[in-house]
Amino acid sequence: MDPIDLPPYDRTATLEHRVLHDLGYFGHYLFVHAGGRGGKQRVLARLYRHDGRLPQRSLIEHSGNSPAALSEVLSKLEAEGLIQRTRSHVDRRQLDVVLTQKGSQIAHDIEQDQQEFERQSLAPLSDAQKSDLVQMLDQLVAHWDTIEKTGAVAETTRGQAQAPATQNAKDQKGA
């Protein structure tokens, strides 16, 4: 993309900067409009997608929250009459989180809203463009996971985090 196509305040921005900026915007947008990462809506929707019952441990592992934070969310949902915590039939030491009838109806509505949000969010893209986007994002996820696992992000002399070029990144640029 030619810098002339960028808005005036971004004329000196690199293409990489613009992509990362847009990804940051998308992350913020999704966080705000799609229920955050582990709040009440997410917990209700996850339970709904799993037939209204999950071990509390499973919710902790997939919520992105600390056990204490999730426990607080579950306490609020329980106080609102949306869930119940019961002893697991499989392992009496564990708790299962179960949707109540009221919680199930609210979770159903949340799930419907989420599906509509997903449809509207990507409406400008064709199925082929969505598929291409998924492939590109999968490449980035794999690359960022590698960076995170190897600790390959180094501090530059200016104090900004910057990833060193890897052979994989070079191969992808050449493709």
Side-chain angles (χ1 to χ4, degrees):
M1 177 178 285
D2 187 39
I4 202 86
D5 297 330
L6 297 173
Y9 59 87
D10 271 44
R11 289 197 194 280
T12 61
T14 63
L15 193 52
E16 291 82 2
H17 177 83
R18 177 130 185 233
V19 168
L20 293 173
H21 177 270
D22 287 353
L23 287 173
Y25 170 78
F26 296 143
H28 171 77
Y29 187 88
L30 290 172
F31 185 83
V32 170
H33 297 284
R37 60 180 182 149
K40 294 191 294 186
Q41 286 187 351
R42 290 272 188 187
V43 170
L44 291 172
R46 182 160 184 79
L47 286 167
Y48 184 78
R49 288 190 299 270
H50 290 87
D51 298 324
R53 176 184 293 269
L54 276 173
Q56 186 167 327
R57 175 174 290 186
S58 177
L59 286 171
I60 290 169
E61 291 169 356
H62 295 95
S63 73
N65 287 338
S66 69
L70 180 66
S71 182
E72 183 178 339
V73 169
L74 294 177
S75 292
K76 290 176 182 177
L77 290 170
E78 202 167 27
E80 293 173 27
L82 303 178
I83 64 160
Q84 292 178 331
R85 289 187 259 194
T86 62
R87 288 277 161 215
S88 170
H89 301 299
V90 177
D91 182 348
R92 301 294 295 163
R93 297 171 295 170
Q94 301 295 319
L95 289 175
D96 282 344
V97 180
V98 183
L99 285 173
T100 63
Q101 186 174 358
K102 178 181 174 184
S104 186
Q105 181 57 51
I106 290 173
H108 172 77
D109 294 344
I110 290 168
E111 192 67 16
Q112 295 297 313
D113 291 347
Q114 180 66 31
Q115 289 174 6
E116 182 60 25
F117 172 78
E118 290 171 4
R119 278 191 293 278
Q120 288 180 5
S121 295
L122 299 175
L125 303 178
S126 69
D127 286 346
Q129 289 172 315
K130 291 174 195 174
S131 180
D132 290 346
L133 179 60
V134 166
Q135 288 177 352
M136 289 185 280
L137 292 173
D138 285 348
Q139 281 182 305
L140 284 175
V141 167
H143 178 67
W144 289 4
D145 281 347
T146 300
I147 289 171
E148 190 169 332
K149 287 175 185 168
T150 62
V153 176
E155 288 292 319
T156 65
T157 56
R158 292 186 297 256
Q160 298 174 338
Q162 189 173 34
T166 63
Q167 188 60 41
N168 188 27
K170 292 177 188 175
D171 292 342
Q172 289 177 1
K173 284 185 179 179

